[in-house]
Amino acid sequence: MAAELLAWLVYRKRHGKRFSAFKMAEEIVLRVDRPNIIGPDTIRRMLRFDVVQHPRPETLSAVAAYLVDQEWIREADLKDVANADFSHWAARHTAEMKVSNRDFAADVQGEYRTFRIAGRTVFETRLTLGLENPEKHANPRLFAAHRIIAHHIENPALLISQTAGFHRTHHDRIDDLLVQSRSERTEPTKIHYGSMFANHHIAFVTAMGWGRHASMVFAVQRVLFDQEIPGALIGQRTETWTPGYVADFPSMDALEKPKQPKPDDREPTLESVFHVSAETLVLIRRAALALTRPYGKGDKPSEQGEATDEDRPKALGFTALGTADEDRMLEIAEQNEQEVRAIEAYFASDDHTPTEKLRIAIDCFEQDEGVKAIEAGADVNARHPRTGEPLVFSAAAWTMETVLRAMLASRRLDLTVRDRNGALPSRRITDPDLFEVFVDAEFAQHEDKGLDPRSRVTQVT
């Protein structure tokens, strides 16, 4: 909703009508039959949609009614969003369970993180949970913000041992190393917003990707407690279906793949399938609610009494000093070094076209290589063989600012193309400043081609 409101303001600005936050709030109140609940501060906060927000339903209702009144969005779009809200999922419990369920959900809320390394990219997952109206619900629901941030680093060897460890102290060291290698540009980020249902029996997160282009489910399989507070969530994350073909999978009769699988660029047929791959995550609470590491003989925990090694967090699933298994660490380091070398060799080779290099650069988060490919004449409107969508959607899904700006600068990018939901590439961008630049460029192209940017059926992929 915030993205559509900002897009509407950019559209009006292009047509000579500027709005301050005060004027925007005033017009919403005058145009829709709603109580006077929208103020300029609310508008300013809403337009910074890169910050987690929890607007009141009345606020969203008023903004939605205004955008429908202006024929910027359709009521059918609002129904689609409402149908995607997972809050109607719940379970019934006996009366005596209500209080304990609320208490459990209240304890779970907070921010959890984990890290994974692949090549020169460190993937940071953040899951932020906040309880909604704990006094009013017998089956508590938590708002969930799920982020995956792709940090590009030059020396992954420094991080191998830290990402392989299972302890909060590792996260502190990873943060320090990431700060040392962080550049001025925005790190590629994918965001999902949704809900978590959690009680004494089950816990799972369901969320929709920004721009409604992807979904995510995180099923919690184990909760590790640090004292009386959940210290870690362990489970499996599955994301949006990936198109595939029956020929890519083992035969139902003989568990072996066909010798000649179907080509990747073949149009989907009745033999096509959808599949997902699950990824196991160990999400550790970011806030240090209790001491979580052993101390030397001369030190004493300041928040606890004397304790033996068995009493400390390793008994709850944490390693004693946060160290990883050495054999496993060496295995990860070797695999990662091979991956880095393979990526470097790929881009150094002349055996691949600029368009192929652009696709791989987006997949591997090598934004500088992506810019080189664009400057070498890559087809910025090429489709990704896995998703079937133009490459700009893949770059926008992670808000790859460097690549996206290079695509715009090439003046070859078609900005009237839409995804299967009828949405433009800008609707996947999570940075408000870059979103505004992209929306303005989209409007300019639509006007040049005599198209209405509000249409949801233009060139659906």
Side-chain angles (χ1 to χ4, degrees):
M1 193 65 65
E4 292 301 334
L5 180 61
L6 179 55
W8 168 245
L9 291 175
V10 174
Y11 180 75
R12 296 291 294 269
K13 181 180 177 181
R14 287 191 61 83
H15 291 79
K17 296 182 179 180
R18 295 173 177 267
F19 280 98
S20 65
F22 180 82
K23 287 290 185 183
M24 185 78 262
E26 185 179 58
E27 175 155 326
I28 291 175
V29 172
L30 293 175
R31 290 277 185 174
V32 301
D33 184 17
R34 296 288 193 282
N36 187 6
I37 60 169
I38 301 290
D41 289 340
T42 299
I43 297 296
R44 293 189 189 97
R45 284 195 304 270
M46 200 169 192
L47 295 180
R48 293 304 308 184
F49 51 73
D50 54 339
V51 178
V52 178
Q53 301 181 39
H54 298 305
R56 293 184 297 177
E58 306 91 280
T59 301
L60 293 176
S61 176
V63 173
Y66 170 75
L67 294 176
V68 170
D69 176 75
Q70 298 298 305
E71 297 183 347
W72 184 251
I73 62 175
R74 305 174 302 172
E75 289 190 15
D77 297 325
L78 296 178
K79 291 180 180 178
D80 288 342
V81 174
N83 291 335
D85 183 9
F86 302 105
S87 62
H88 61 278
W89 289 356
R92 297 187 179 278
H93 301 285
T94 58
E96 58 268 19
M97 290 294 294
K98 294 180 180 179
V99 174
S100 59
N101 282 341
R102 285 197 295 267
D103 291 343
F104 181 80
D107 289 341
V108 170
Q109 66 181 334
E111 182 173 277
Y112 299 80
R113 292 195 302 170
T114 192
F115 294 89
R116 177 177 63 84
I117 190 165
R120 282 196 292 253
T121 304
V122 174
F123 292 95
E124 176 187 1
T125 295
R126 296 184 187 179
L127 179 63
T128 306
L129 305 171
L131 193 59
E132 174 196 31
N133 297 329
E135 298 82 10
K136 297 182 180 180
H137 295 279
N139 300 298
R141 181 169 78 106
L142 297 105
F143 290 115
H146 172 266
R147 285 174 167 79
I148 308 176
I149 307 169
H151 302 278
H152 185 85
I153 56 174
E154 294 300 328
N155 188 359
L158 294 175
L159 284 170
I160 294 292
S161 62
Q162 306 306 320
T163 55
F166 180 25
H167 198 280
R168 287 194 195 102
T169 55
H170 282 260
H171 289 187
D172 296 334
R173 298 183 188 122
I174 292 172
D175 284 336
D176 292 341
L177 291 169
L178 290 179
V179 168
Q180 296 173 20
S181 61
R182 188 166 296 154
S183 63
E184 294 297 326
R185 65 189 179 196
T186 304
E187 302 288 1
T189 303
K190 183 188 290 186
I191 299 178
H192 297 82
Y193 290 114
S195 304
M196 180 179 188
F197 179 82
N199 63 23
H200 280 89
H201 299 285
I202 192 171
F204 59 89
V205 177
T206 54
M208 185 71 70
W210 185 263
R212 295 165 51 207
H213 72 282
S215 302
M216 185 278 299
V217 174
F218 175 62
V220 181
Q221 298 169 328
R222 183 179 299 173
V223 180
L224 302 183
F225 281 82
D226 190 353
Q227 303 300 319
E228 297 180 355
I229 300 296
L233 306 177
I234 301 177
Q236 286 196 317
R237 175 178 63 196
T238 56
E239 295 188 63
T240 293
W241 298 110
T242 298
Y245 299 96
V246 172
D248 297 331
F249 295 88
S251 168
M252 293 295 182
D253 301 321
L255 296 178
E256 57 183 20
K257 293 185 178 180
K259 294 182 179 180
Q260 294 185 356
K262 296 182 179 180
D264 291 338
D265 58 354
R266 179 167 179 170
E267 290 295 322
T269 67
L270 291 177
E271 293 182 309
S272 62
V273 297
F274 289 107
H275 65 97
V276 295
S277 57
E279 180 182 7
T280 300
L281 298 181
V282 180
L283 294 166
I284 302 176
R285 185 186 287 272
R286 187 173 190 177
L289 299 180
L291 298 174
T292 57
R293 61 183 177 84
Y295 288 76
K297 294 182 178 179
D299 298 325
K300 293 183 180 180
S302 58
E303 299 180 16
Q304 307 177 54
E306 293 290 346
T308 65
D309 287 343
E310 285 70 24
D311 296 326
R312 293 194 171 104
K314 70 174 183 180
L316 302 175
F318 295 91
T319 55
L321 294 173
T323 55
D325 177 80
E326 292 185 6
D327 292 337
R328 176 57 180 159
M329 195 166 66
L330 291 174
E331 180 184 345
I332 294 174
E334 183 177 350
Q335 292 175 351
N336 199 67
E337 185 178 358
Q338 292 175 354
E339 185 173 346
V340 171
R341 289 179 178 177
I343 293 173
E344 291 175 345
Y346 180 91
F347 288 113
S349 172
D350 295 329
D351 298 335
H352 310 285
T353 67
T355 302
E356 291 172 336
K357 289 186 176 182
L358 175 59
R359 178 178 69 83
I360 296 299
I362 292 174
D363 286 348
C364 296
F365 303 94
E366 296 285 344
Q367 294 199 78
D368 292 338
E369 295 293 345
V371 173
K372 292 178 184 177
I374 293 171
E375 293 173 347
D379 180 5
V380 293
N381 298 306
R383 293 176 182 270
H384 198 294
R386 186 178 70 251
T387 64
E389 296 178 335
L391 293 176
V392 65
F393 284 101
S394 298
W398 285 90
T399 310
M400 296 186 183
E401 181 175 0
T402 305
V403 171
L404 290 171
R405 289 189 182 275
M407 285 181 164
L408 281 179
S410 72
R411 298 185 179 277
R412 305 191 302 270
L413 183 61
D414 183 0
L415 290 171
T416 62
V417 70
R418 296 172 182 268
D419 64 14
R420 292 179 179 84
N421 295 320
L424 293 165
S426 63
R427 297 315 191 268
R428 297 191 184 180
I429 296 174
T430 57
D431 178 78
D433 298 326
L434 182 61
F435 174 87
E436 189 169 347
V437 171
F438 241 75
V439 165
D440 192 56
E442 288 170 347
F443 290 161
Q445 275 201 20
H446 279 76
E447 291 174 0
D448 291 342
K449 296 181 179 182
L451 301 174
D452 186 350
R454 290 173 290 186
S455 172
R456 296 295 191 269
V457 297
T458 307
Q459 299 186 28
V460 177
T461 60

